[in-house]
Amino acid sequence: MSREKLSERDVCTKYITPAITNSGWDLHRQIREEVSFTNGRVVAKGSVYTRKKSKRADYILYYKPNIPIAIVEAKDMKHSVGSGMQQALEYAEMLDIPFVFSTNGKGFLFHDRTGNNEVVEQELAMNQFPSPEELWKKYREWKGLSSQEEKVFTYDYYVDGSGKEPRYYQRVAINRTVEAVAKGQDRLLLVMATGTGKTYTAFQIIWRLWKSKKKKRILFLADRNILVDQTKTNDFKPFGDKMTKIEKRTVNKAYEIYLALYQGVSGVEEDKNIYRQFSPDFFDLIVIDECHRGSAAEDSSWREILEYFSSATQIGLTATPKETKDVSNIDYFGEPIYTYSLKQGIDDGFLAPYRVIRYTLDKDVEGWRPEKGQTDTYGYEIEDRIYNQKDFDRQLIIDDRTKTIAMKVTEYLKNTDPYQKTIIFCVNINHAERMRQAMVNENADMVSENRKYIMRITGDDEEGKRELDNFIHPDEPYPVIAVTSKLMTTGVDAQTCKLIILDSNINSMTEFKQIIGRGTRINEEFSKYSFTIMDFRNATRLFADPAFDGPPESVYEPSENDPATPPEDEEDRDEHGVKGFPQGEHDEGWGDDDWSRDEEVNEKPQVYTVDDVKVKVLNERVQYIGEDGKLITESLTDYTKKTVRKEFSSLDDFLRKWKSADKKEAIIQELLEQGVLLDALQEEVGEDMDPFDLICHVAFDQKPLTRKERAQNVKKRDYFTKYGEQARKVLEALLNKYADAGIEHIEDIQVLKLPPFDEYGSMIEIVKMFGGKQQYQEAVRELEQEIYTA
């Protein structure tokens, strides 16, 4: 056989792999072939989900496990030697790999990304591929690693024998951090979207620094008990008896790994600052989880802990670095050493995409003003002014607004899945309790089945907090609906949460990102691939903010007479004016909700309640996330037309592609991968049309036919008369299947195992009616041609 006719895989086996191994690379320890390093973006397809193709490298070469240093992109011999280079460079950038090769089996094109060579790209003969030692020498010089730093940097990852290994972005974060610490950097910031495994990443960083003896005593700080307990039980479990959790304000200095709550080691009174029982140099590494909260503020009580242990290396972890004019993570920790964003996570298929349903309520738009002398439900005269959205549930309670929202949420649940895990975010605890009551009344049938169908889970309610673990656990069916205010904004690993309700005034980008993060996890075992956001406060306007998914930027710019560090952040004060404690596990409390209606104490209540004002939904708009990670703001039909016409220049171009495809499913998959939202389009334009008619109609302004109309046209043409009686019955059943379910369902031969086809015999017997598998497939193709004949 001519070498030009060899497949890409043949070229790899016969020429490329031997060239690499002959240069000294160990086939079993240092070479991995066909490495898929992303999962492929999740795409909705009817009631099921599919994935785009994952990114796959032909070869990744490792100096040792989890330290990749070279990538090789292979092509067959019909391609030029450098035809794979651009793809390889894209992958190398994602994987943080400096040495990049493209090959067609006749030679290599070598690209050096280190910037240390005058010649960036050069061609090499097949017998000139660099050895591991050559590339590692270049790598060390690029990184500037001393022998001691190299020892720390190359220390092994923890391996549990289960086959679990870090995802590519976790590996980049771990390696960059370990390298920086090995070189003596003492303040580091890692930014990773919620649901991407920050705690596992932290564990591997600590493990390698601890086992290499670079760091001996380590403190892991968090601000929620559930975070500390989850960490100790799950990711940090391998530390075993070397690890302890600081509890009940008691200190035992015999351990090496310490886990603690900020609140558990500090307080307003000096005797509660038990962290001072440790000497300032006791810890040489501190990892701060969710560092965007209290510790970001320079004079917070949390920051005092970090400054007390200032000689320790400190690593901040967050999904949402806090960068405002008042407070800065970057000011303290420095620029992020690595950022993995929500957009990247969704593109890679590690995080769930979302859609937004925005509701506009009449009183939110128009505002509400009481009549002169009007009193509220409790007899208090209502202050005469216009109340608007930011006042509702803080200054003014409109009962019907709460009931209307509960009704719309219930309507959505009953139309989709009433058992999908749902979180409703409210303004405060009082609002959360009223929302719970409204939801109970709207879902009386579900509550009668199980009283825990709806639970308020807030900081002041012990029974509610006890149900938090059950809500989080995928195997536990109840509670289904969690009504909260602040407690569940962060640190809650709700893997199966499919619905998030926003009825809270959210102005903080940090809080908004944290709330959205409650829905971003994927759980394939429980069919959680995406989530929906129902927005009643226009909070999702923040999706359009450039800061939503962009790199964090420090915006504090001191003038000549300003202090070098940012001023304090009022957001991080608790109800007593104490800085550093978020409203949450300990401090969510009633706070500004703790209002009284005692007439002798208050002449005017803090909050008015009206029960005779009607609220209407003016508008309901569904929005989807586009390929660029932003919400699609134009109409779905306009977006579809623009997207399709990028791929198909004309109607004729689309028709040619459609008719020439052996399987129409391939074109449908291609449309999905281009970002066409067929599922949403069917809902909006017509569920009884198949993708062909949807595209022709929306993108090329053709009059559409329904599937049933197309099927009826085929029957009118007496197309089936050329087949025998039994074969004709099978084709008629396939046509009916198309009319009911769509073209994809008749292209899969496995459909013959399902009713009504099983009435005509087994799959093998049915295929024999047509003379064999090839003839059967040809008959299906002819049927498709008849279906799509104009």
Side-chain angles (χ1 to χ4, degrees):
M1 181 189 288
S2 165
R3 292 202 313 169
E4 303 298 318
K5 293 183 179 178
L6 292 174
S7 69
E8 184 182 297
R9 195 69 333 242
D10 283 335
V11 171
C12 289
T13 303
K14 296 177 187 295
Y15 297 98
I16 301 171
T17 303
I20 296 172
T21 55
N22 289 342
S23 298
W25 293 86
D26 187 303
L27 183 62
H28 303 292
R29 289 179 57 253
Q30 294 182 303
I31 301 173
R32 287 188 62 192
E33 296 185 55
E34 297 189 297
V35 185
S36 293
F37 58 91
T38 70
N39 279 1
R41 183 184 174 118
V42 171
V43 179
K45 185 182 171 191
S47 59
V48 296
Y49 291 87
T50 184
R51 286 184 181 270
K52 291 187 175 184
K53 289 178 183 174
S54 61
K55 287 184 166 63
R56 188 176 72 180
D58 291 322
Y59 294 84
I60 297 180
L61 309 183
Y62 300 80
Y63 176 66
K64 62 180 300 184
N66 289 306
I67 301 181
I69 60 172
I71 186 168
V72 182
E73 190 60 31
K75 297 294 179 185
D76 62 35
M77 291 189 174
K78 293 192 288 290
H79 289 81
S80 67
V81 67
S83 61
M85 181 54 74
Q86 291 191 153
Q87 183 176 305
L89 286 169
E90 179 197 342
Y91 292 174
E93 191 174 323
M94 292 177 70
L95 298 168
D96 220 17
I97 290 175
F99 307 120
V100 189
F101 297 85
S102 172
T103 179
N104 59 359
K106 298 177 182 178
F108 291 98
L109 182 64
F110 172 36
H111 183 110
D112 186 339
R113 296 180 62 234
T114 65
N116 287 347
N117 282 352
E118 288 183 14
V119 179
V120 176
E121 286 192 358
Q122 58 181 310
E123 285 199 30
L124 304 173
M126 292 301 286
N127 62 359
Q128 291 180 309
F129 194 85
S131 68
E133 291 73 26
E134 288 177 75
L135 289 188
W136 183 246
K137 183 172 180 289
K138 286 177 179 285
Y139 189 95
R140 267 199 341 265
E141 289 170 356
W142 172 49
K143 292 291 188 181
L145 293 173
S146 68
S147 57
Q148 189 57 39
E149 290 163 1
E150 180 185 357
K151 182 182 173 185
V152 175
F153 178 67
T154 57
Y155 201 89
D156 292 339
Y157 280 61
Y158 173 78
V159 179
D160 63 4
S162 69
K164 179 180 179 178
E165 60 179 35
R167 292 172 174 171
Y168 84 87
Y169 61 86
Q170 293 170 335
R171 185 182 290 113
V172 173
I174 294 161
N175 286 346
R176 284 194 186 182
T177 305
V178 170
E179 177 200 339
V181 174
K183 289 179 171 180
Q185 192 170 330
D186 59 3
R187 298 290 182 271
L188 299 101
L189 180 63
L190 271 178
V191 178
M192 295 170 67
T194 300
T196 56
K198 288 192 296 294
T199 313
Y200 172 74
T201 301
F203 163 72
Q204 288 287 7
I205 290 167
I206 294 169
W207 178 268
R208 292 175 66 197
L209 293 172
W210 178 58
K211 295 296 280 187
S212 65
K213 296 184 168 50
K214 177 67 178 176
K215 301 296 178 185
K216 296 181 176 63
R217 287 194 288 256
I218 293 119
L219 174 63
F220 180 86
L221 274 176
D223 73 336
R224 299 273 170 94
N225 239 324
I226 190 169
L227 289 175
V228 175
D229 293 340
Q230 284 176 350
T231 299
K232 186 181 180 196
T233 306
N234 300 326
D235 289 319
F236 280 36
K237 190 176 181 180
F239 288 125
D241 60 6
K242 303 294 184 185
M243 171 177 60
T244 188
K245 176 186 174 185
I246 299 175
E247 295 181 280
K248 298 176 182 175
R249 301 196 178 273
T250 57
V251 168
N252 184 336
K253 300 179 183 178
Y255 293 90
E256 295 177 51
I257 311 292
Y258 293 78
L259 285 76
L261 275 172
Y262 280 107
Q263 300 95 317
V265 295
S266 65
V268 180
E269 289 126 24
E270 185 58 35
D271 64 339
K272 291 187 176 179
N273 289 323
I274 63 162
Y275 66 86
R276 293 184 180 276
Q277 294 180 32
F278 295 102
S279 64
D281 61 355
F282 184 84
F283 297 109
D284 47 15
L285 175 63
I286 300 177
V287 177
I288 305 98
D289 196 20
E290 306 291 0
C291 69
H292 62 277
R293 291 201 292 272
S295 59
E298 185 208 354
D299 62 342
S300 72
S301 53
W302 297 6
R303 180 68 73 85
E304 289 176 16
I305 302 172
L306 303 186
E307 290 178 348
Y308 180 79
F309 297 114
S310 60
S311 63
T313 299
Q314 297 176 9
I315 302 172
L317 305 175
T318 182
T320 52
K322 203 164 202 176
E323 301 304 320
T324 70
K325 63 182 175 60
D326 299 316
V327 65
S328 172
N329 281 126
I330 290 173
D331 182 72
Y332 184 78
F333 290 104
E335 292 289 336
I337 196 165
Y338 184 63
T339 297
Y340 188 73
S341 68
L342 173 63
K343 178 182 181 296
Q344 286 171 286
I346 292 173
D347 282 346
D348 290 341
F350 296 123
L351 296 179
Y354 52 85
R355 68 171 181 166
V356 173
I357 308 174
R358 279 181 173 155
Y359 293 87
T360 305
L361 306 180
D362 60 346
K363 298 301 181 287
D364 291 21
V365 174
E366 300 159 5
W368 180 79
R369 183 177 181 178
E371 295 175 4
K372 186 176 181 181
Q374 183 173 346
T375 58
D376 78 349
T377 306
Y378 297 93
Y380 292 98
E381 184 174 330
I382 304 170
E383 181 185 347
D384 182 16
R385 66 180 180 87
I386 296 174
Y387 294 85
N388 55 35
Q389 192 180 70
K390 72 176 186 292
D391 297 311
F392 297 150
D393 301 297
R394 280 198 178 278
Q395 308 298 322
L396 176 74
I397 294 167
I398 301 178
D399 278 342
D400 197 55
R401 188 183 184 282
T402 308
K403 291 174 184 175
T404 299
I405 291 170
M407 182 185 70
K408 295 305 292 184
V409 172
T410 303
E411 183 182 297
Y412 177 87
L413 285 166
K414 292 195 182 302
N415 288 338
T416 52
D417 173 13
Y419 291 98
Q420 61 190 297
K421 291 292 177 85
T422 299
I423 306 176
I424 304 178
F425 288 97
C426 299
V427 169
N428 49 41
I429 290 174
N430 175 270
H431 182 206
E433 172 54 25
R434 288 184 290 102
M435 183 63 75
R436 184 198 67 80
Q437 293 171 22
M439 286 296 295
V440 166
N441 289 332
E442 289 290 332
N443 295 272
D445 53 338
M446 308 302 289
V447 174
S448 66
E449 282 183 25
N450 191 307
R451 68 176 180 84
K452 293 182 180 179
Y453 179 75
I454 301 165
M455 293 291 292
R456 172 165 64 88
I457 301 179
T458 51
D460 69 312
D461 190 283
E462 290 304 319
E463 185 180 3
K465 285 197 289 187
R466 282 195 296 272
E467 290 300 323
L468 184 55
D469 281 345
N470 289 332
F471 179 81
I472 290 168
H473 202 293
D475 284 317
E476 294 294 336
Y478 297 100
V480 173
I481 300 169
V483 188
T484 189
S485 56
K486 295 285 187 185
L487 181 62
M488 296 177 70
T489 57
T490 188
V492 177
D493 187 8
Q495 295 178 25
T496 54
C497 177
K498 292 183 180 180
L499 183 60
I500 291 174
I501 317 300
L502 302 178
D503 191 28
S504 178
N505 297 315
I506 302 167
N507 295 309
S508 159
M509 181 63 74
T510 300
E511 184 181 6
F512 179 65
K513 281 187 175 183
Q514 289 289 340
I515 287 173
I516 299 308
R518 298 315 100 211
T520 54
R521 288 170 173 82
I522 288 174
N523 188 314
E524 296 190 7
E525 183 184 349
F526 289 86
S527 299
K528 160 66 191 303
Y529 292 95
S530 68
F531 67 105
T532 298
I533 302 163
M534 297 177 74
D535 180 12
F536 292 92
R537 298 263 180 168
N538 197 28
T540 52
R541 71 191 184 284
L542 293 170
F543 278 128
D545 192 311
F548 174 68
D549 203 32
E553 294 179 4
S554 188
V555 298
Y556 177 62
E557 297 178 4
S559 301
E560 186 178 346
N561 298 320
D562 289 336
T565 53
E568 67 184 28
D569 182 11
E570 290 301 322
E571 262 185 49
D572 283 328
R573 290 190 181 276
D574 72 3
E575 67 210 60
H576 306 294
V578 177
K579 295 198 66 183
F581 294 91
Q583 286 192 324
E585 186 165 300
H586 294 272
D587 297 286
E588 186 175 17
W590 286 87
D592 62 3
D593 317 317
D594 194 9
W595 45 269
S596 168
R597 293 201 173 276
D598 189 335
E599 292 183 58
E600 293 179 8
V601 177
N602 292 315
E603 293 181 8
K604 184 178 79 171
Q606 290 184 22
V607 182
Y608 298 105
T609 301
V610 291
D611 56 9
D612 55 355
V613 176
K614 293 298 177 186
V615 174
K616 291 190 301 184
V617 175
L618 294 180
N619 186 41
E620 179 179 328
R621 184 183 180 193
V622 182
Q623 289 183 286
Y624 299 85
I625 183 172
E627 288 296 289
D628 60 357
K630 303 291 184 184
L631 280 180
I632 298 167
T633 53
E634 61 198 316
S635 73
L636 195 55
T637 52
D638 286 347
Y639 170 79
T640 302
K641 179 181 284 192
K642 186 173 72 177
T643 306
V644 170
R645 289 194 166 189
K646 281 182 190 173
E647 183 68 15
F648 304 102
S649 58
S650 65
L651 175 62
D652 286 343
D653 186 22
F654 175 69
L655 292 176
R656 268 195 305 274
K657 193 80 176 275
W658 184 269
K659 288 176 181 176
S660 64
D662 283 342
K663 286 195 171 184
K664 311 309 179 196
E665 170 70 7
I667 305 295
I668 294 169
Q669 186 67 30
E670 189 177 322
L671 289 167
L672 289 169
E673 292 199 3
Q674 293 301 321
V676 176
L677 301 163
L678 290 173
D679 187 33
L681 202 61
Q682 279 184 314
E683 282 184 27
E684 189 170 301
V685 179
E687 293 190 2
D688 52 356
M689 296 181 209
D690 78 359
F692 175 82
D693 281 284
L694 280 171
I695 297 303
C696 288
H697 175 55
V698 171
F700 301 108
D701 303 315
Q702 299 299 298
K703 183 181 177 182
L705 294 175
T706 66
R707 291 192 301 272
K708 284 185 168 54
E709 285 172 336
R710 287 193 174 277
Q712 197 58 41
N713 287 344
V714 174
K715 290 175 183 177
K716 287 176 185 175
R717 290 195 290 268
D718 288 332
Y719 160 70
F720 299 124
T721 53
K722 68 177 186 176
Y723 292 98
E725 183 182 353
Q726 288 300 101
R728 190 160 62 242
K729 286 181 179 178
V730 171
L731 289 171
E732 285 175 348
L734 283 171
L735 186 60
N736 291 334
K737 187 76 172 174
Y738 159 77
D740 290 338
I743 197 70
E744 315 97 285
H745 297 274
I746 72 170
E747 290 187 326
D748 187 350
I749 199 170
Q750 299 297 319
V751 75
L752 299 179
K753 295 180 178 178
L754 304 174
F757 303 99
D758 52 359
E759 297 174 14
Y760 310 123
S762 67
M763 184 170 73
I764 293 172
E765 288 170 336
I766 292 172
V767 166
K768 281 182 179 176
M769 295 175 192
F770 293 85
K773 184 176 180 181
Q774 189 173 338
Q775 291 87 339
Y776 168 77
Q777 289 175 332
E778 184 58 38
V780 172
R781 278 193 289 271
E782 286 183 13
L783 175 60
E784 288 181 340
Q785 287 172 8
E786 287 295 318
I787 288 171
Y788 294 109
T789 297

